[in-house]
Amino acid sequence: MSVHMWHCESCKKETGHEVREQQHHDPALQALTVPPSSGNFSDHTECTCVECGHVEWVDPVDIFHVDEHDFGD
C-alpha cells in the first residue's frame, strides 16, 4: 500500500489517502472494497482517505500525475 495526498470529496481538503490495487498479488496491497457496479472501474485503484475513511475509485493514470499529487511510501 502506498499513501499519497489527494483531494477528499468528503472532507473537502487535501489529505493522505491509502492506495490499494484490485487483484494485487500481495494481500496487504489488495483493495478492501469492491468498485461501483456502474461504470468501467476494471483498472481503477481504491483510494481511501486516512482522515474520514471515504473511499474513491481512481484511474491510476490520475494518481501518477506528479505535478498534481504528492507521493509517499
Side-chain angles (χ1 to χ4, degrees), residues 4-61:
H4 67 276
M5 297 303 287
W6 190 266
H7 178 78
C8 181
E9 292 296 325
S10 181
C11 293
K12 303 295 185 200
K13 59 185 176 182
E14 294 285 322
T15 60
H17 281 66
E18 296 177 350
V19 177
R20 297 174 185 269
E21 298 176 29
Q22 298 181 59
Q23 291 132 11
H24 194 281
H25 66 275
D26 182 348
L29 303 178
Q30 288 179 6
L32 302 177
T33 63
V34 177
S37 57
S38 61
N40 182 14
F41 292 93
S42 61
D43 64 344
H44 282 44
T45 303
E46 182 187 69
C47 187
T48 307
C49 179
V50 298
E51 295 292 324
C52 72
H54 177 75
V55 176
E56 290 183 62
W57 285 89
V58 181
D59 186 332
V61 172

Side-chain angles (χ1 to χ4, degrees), residues 6 43-45 58-66 68-69 71:
W6 190 266
D43 64 344
H44 282 44
T45 303
V58 181
D59 186 332
V61 172
D62 293 338
I63 292 174
F64 293 112
H65 286 169
V66 178
E68 298 174 20
H69 305 291
F71 295 95

